[in-house]
Amino acid sequence: MTVDVDESQPAAVAAPRRHRRWLVALLIVVMLGQMAAAMVVTSVQQTPTIDEPVYVGAAITYVQQHSLRYNPEHPPLGKLIMAAGLAFADPHVDPRYRGNQSELGRYVLYEAGNDPYELMFAARLPMIILTLLFGLVVFAFARDLVGPVGGLLALALYAFSPDLIAHGSLATLDVPAAGFLLTAAWLLWRARNRPQLYLPLAGLALGAALATRMSALPAVPVLMFLAFLAVRRLRGVVAAAGIGLIALAVVWVSYLVVDPTLHFLTPIGLPELHGVKRTLVNLVPLPEPYRDGMRIQFGFEKQTFNGFLFGEAYRGSRWYYLPAAMLVKTPLGMLVLWLAGAVTMLTVARLRVAALYVLVTPAILFLVAMTGARNYGSRYAIFLPVFLAVAAAAVVTLRPRWTRVTAAALVAFVAVSSVRTFPYYLPYSNEAFGGPAKTHLRLHDSNVDWGQDLGRVADRLRERYPGEPVWLLYKGAGVPAAYGIDAKDPRGVPPAEVRGLLVVSDSTIAGATGRTRALIAGSGAPIDSVGHSISIYRRP
């Protein structure tokens, strides 16, 4: 008796699998491609935000002068990454220049003979590339947990996140620190099967986060505990200690790359710490410049800053500021998928272990951030759209057939909401709060107006209001004259003499008091808006 065997069956099964892999790869390229295009266009069109010139100036001095004297409140790695792009712009800085870090930033961009647009794009480009690479980590992490469909869902939420597009296109430190932490968590998840390979890599990623931004410090105990879980028992203790030592080494190397002698003068006016904070700073085996940065950051938390939330200006901080800001700044479909994914991870038995890797770190960081003194923006919780994109992927494991259809519809809603705000991602708010045009009524500072639209103002004045007198109240790091804006400060003359166009940053409007508030109130309704962040009034 003979049996006929269909030898073509394995090939027939393999062919659809190959097609699926190609389709997944194509969708990854499409989603990251649109994210890249959005970030590049946004980057090219925006003038420097408030923090960027400080980082750019520090990055240049790191490389050219091997000096750590600027921007000591943040570790050097993120700025060294910016320096990799700045090297192609060949920036000129007089080594004899002396000034504080804000003055250095203005000097580098506007006084030293450099092209500010070229310099800023050169500093931003490495951050754009890094943000895209973290998108691959998001996909890989979610795919490892729930398969390629979940990976694509997670990547879609990441790639269409207005906050990630906005801040990923800037030469700042928030997105890199969050991305390195997610990478560390993903590598620790993989270390459960191959600890010898992935534990050291996780230590490198954790060290990169710590060497980029000190806000990553609260995540260290969580990630060390996850390293312990990867192998457990005595070997687990060794594993946790090992990734801690590797992370410390990365921080030390980031400082030694700038200055092998670690010649560092203690910043003037360094805050005096007491109690637990003082003990913590003194005990951590980190370079003295890093510990001085910790002292500066703790000092910031003792200060009182101005806040603005839902139309109310106030002094100090409010514990619910960040939850409220995230409610405004996150697409509605994304909020639903975040919540559904988190609940799924906590209730589906096989995903509960994964919740330790995906949910605990952002939860700890968010609780710490809520206690911060600076109510300045959703960027202080930028790790949420990074980690929770992975968590959202868990919804694809739910059995009802309509679950995936609903999830796809919500992702489409997110994509439409994100594309509609192009290229004004920084002032994004979701439809429930009126969209980008209304964000300045709810929030201020880096949520909406971070000084990014000075170049757009210059273009608008040339195109629509040529020859009209201009009075400017601009909150930002840019120099108006460098963009061809010939304007006066209205605060130096009686209000009756302020005639013509009054151009005001929306963050200035939000925090206006006294004479400035009266001047704005007496100018009627705005006749124009630039980038949803700067209002133009006409005073007769």
Side-chain angles (χ1 to χ4, degrees):
M1 179 178 179
T2 61
V3 178
D4 293 332
V5 178
D6 184 2
E7 295 181 355
S8 67
Q9 186 174 1
V13 172
R17 288 178 180 173
R18 284 198 297 269
H19 289 314
R20 283 198 295 269
R21 286 198 294 267
W22 277 106
L23 178 60
V24 169
L26 177 63
L27 290 173
I28 291 172
V29 170
V30 168
M31 286 189 283
L32 289 181
Q34 77 78 30
M35 189 183 199
M39 288 193 292
V40 168
V41 171
T42 300
S43 176
V44 169
Q45 292 188 2
Q46 290 185 160
T47 40
T49 58
I50 290 175
D51 285 3
E52 288 181 292
V54 171
Y55 299 145
V56 170
I60 294 171
T61 58
Y62 286 172
V63 174
Q64 294 186 0
Q65 302 173 29
H66 299 285
S67 171
L68 289 163
R69 68 181 180 274
Y70 289 111
N71 198 227
E73 62 266 35
H74 294 297
L77 181 59
K79 289 163 283 184
L80 288 172
I81 295 172
M82 297 174 201
L86 288 165
F88 294 96
D90 192 23
H92 173 71
V93 176
D94 188 339
R96 296 169 298 179
Y97 179 83
R98 291 295 179 268
N100 64 37
Q101 59 187 20
S102 296
E103 294 166 344
L104 172 68
R106 286 194 297 272
Y107 166 77
V108 167
L109 290 174
Y110 303 111
E111 300 170 20
N114 301 305
D115 182 333
Y117 278 105
E118 180 186 6
L119 217 59
M120 286 310 308
F121 184 70
R124 289 166 173 171
L125 185 58
M127 296 308 179
I128 292 173
I129 295 171
L130 201 56
T131 302
L132 296 172
L133 292 175
F134 290 140
L136 294 177
V137 175
V138 166
F139 169 80
F141 200 170
R143 180 201 57 193
D144 287 353
L145 296 178
V146 295
V149 174
L152 291 173
L153 185 150
L155 179 59
L157 294 185
Y158 180 92
F160 286 104
S161 167
D163 259 357
L164 288 172
I165 293 173
H167 294 282
S169 62
L170 299 177
T172 53
L173 308 175
D174 305 290
V175 173
F180 284 131
L181 284 176
L182 179 78
T183 304
W186 170 56
L187 292 168
L188 287 170
W189 173 259
R190 289 202 150 198
R192 297 160 69 248
N193 295 321
R194 297 182 65 185
Q196 293 85 356
L197 173 62
Y198 290 111
L199 282 174
L201 294 176
L204 292 175
L206 175 57
L210 296 176
T212 298
R213 192 170 172 85
M214 291 175 189
S215 58
L217 282 167
V220 172
V222 178
L223 295 178
M224 289 182 69
F225 175 70
L226 295 178
F228 169 80
L229 291 181
V231 290
R232 298 187 184 181
R233 297 181 182 175
L234 182 58
R235 291 175 59 205
V237 175
V238 174
I243 74 158
L245 289 174
I246 293 172
L248 290 174
V250 172
V251 176
W252 274 94
V253 168
S254 70
Y255 279 92
L256 292 171
V257 164
V258 178
D259 182 1
T261 67
L262 285 184
H263 178 68
F264 179 76
L265 298 176
T266 300
I268 298 174
L270 201 64
E272 182 67 29
L273 302 181
H274 303 280
V276 176
K277 292 179 180 178
R278 179 177 180 176
T279 302
L280 174 64
V281 171
N282 290 337
L283 286 180
V284 291
L286 290 166
E288 190 62 27
Y290 195 100
R291 291 192 286 173
D292 281 347
M294 293 176 67
R295 294 182 181 102
I296 294 172
Q297 292 292 347
F298 281 135
F300 285 151
E301 297 307 310
K302 293 181 180 179
Q303 298 180 29
T304 301
F305 298 91
N306 294 321
F308 182 81
L309 182 62
F310 294 134
E312 180 187 357
Y314 57 90
R315 290 279 291 168
S317 62
R318 296 180 175 178
W319 68 267
Y320 53 85
Y321 172 84
L322 263 184
M326 295 307 296
L327 188 65
V328 173
K329 297 283 291 177
T330 305
L332 296 172
M334 193 176 293
L335 288 171
V336 173
L337 286 169
W338 284 359
L339 179 60
V343 171
T344 301
M345 293 195 84
L346 294 171
T347 55
V348 174
R350 72 180 184 88
L351 292 176
R352 284 179 190 149
V353 173
L356 292 173
Y357 295 78
V358 179
L359 299 179
V360 176
T361 295
I364 295 295
L365 292 175
F366 193 64
L367 289 173
V368 172
M370 284 173 59
T371 67
R374 288 162 285 185
N375 289 176
Y376 281 167
S378 59
R379 67 188 180 92
Y380 287 90
I382 200 71
F383 46 82
L384 287 184
V386 175
F387 277 85
L388 294 186
V390 178
V395 300
V396 303
T397 64
L398 299 178
R399 287 190 177 278
R401 184 175 298 178
W402 51 264
T403 301
R404 292 193 178 189
V405 175
T406 303
L410 289 171
V411 168
F413 185 25
V414 170
V416 170
S417 184
S418 177
V419 171
R420 285 178 60 193
T421 199
F422 175 86
Y424 308 115
Y425 291 98
L426 206 59
Y428 173 86
S429 64
N430 63 46
E431 290 76 9
F433 294 95
K438 301 295 184 182
T439 311
H440 69 282
L441 302 176
R442 332 286 182 195
L443 301 163
H444 79 324
D445 205 78
S446 60
N447 289 306
V448 55
D449 165 32
W450 214 13
Q452 74 274 10
D453 283 322
L454 191 60
R456 290 186 177 121
V457 167
D459 293 340
R460 184 68 55 85
L461 293 175
R462 281 193 295 268
E463 294 167 2
R464 295 188 185 179
Y465 311 103
E468 294 197 43
V470 177
W471 303 82
L472 180 64
L473 288 171
Y474 166 69
K475 182 180 179 181
V479 174
Y483 301 94
I485 299 176
D486 182 14
K488 298 178 182 178
D489 189 337
R491 292 168 295 188
V493 300
E497 296 182 18
V498 181
R499 297 188 178 92
L501 299 176
L502 177 63
V503 182
V504 191
S505 295
D506 285 343
S507 286
T508 299
I509 297 172
T513 58
R515 183 174 176 176
T516 300
R517 184 174 183 177
L519 179 68
I520 296 169
S523 300
I527 62 168
D528 204 348
S529 175
V530 180
H532 306 306
S533 76
I534 298 180
S535 298
I536 300 178
Y537 302 82
R538 177 171 277 121
R539 290 179 60 87

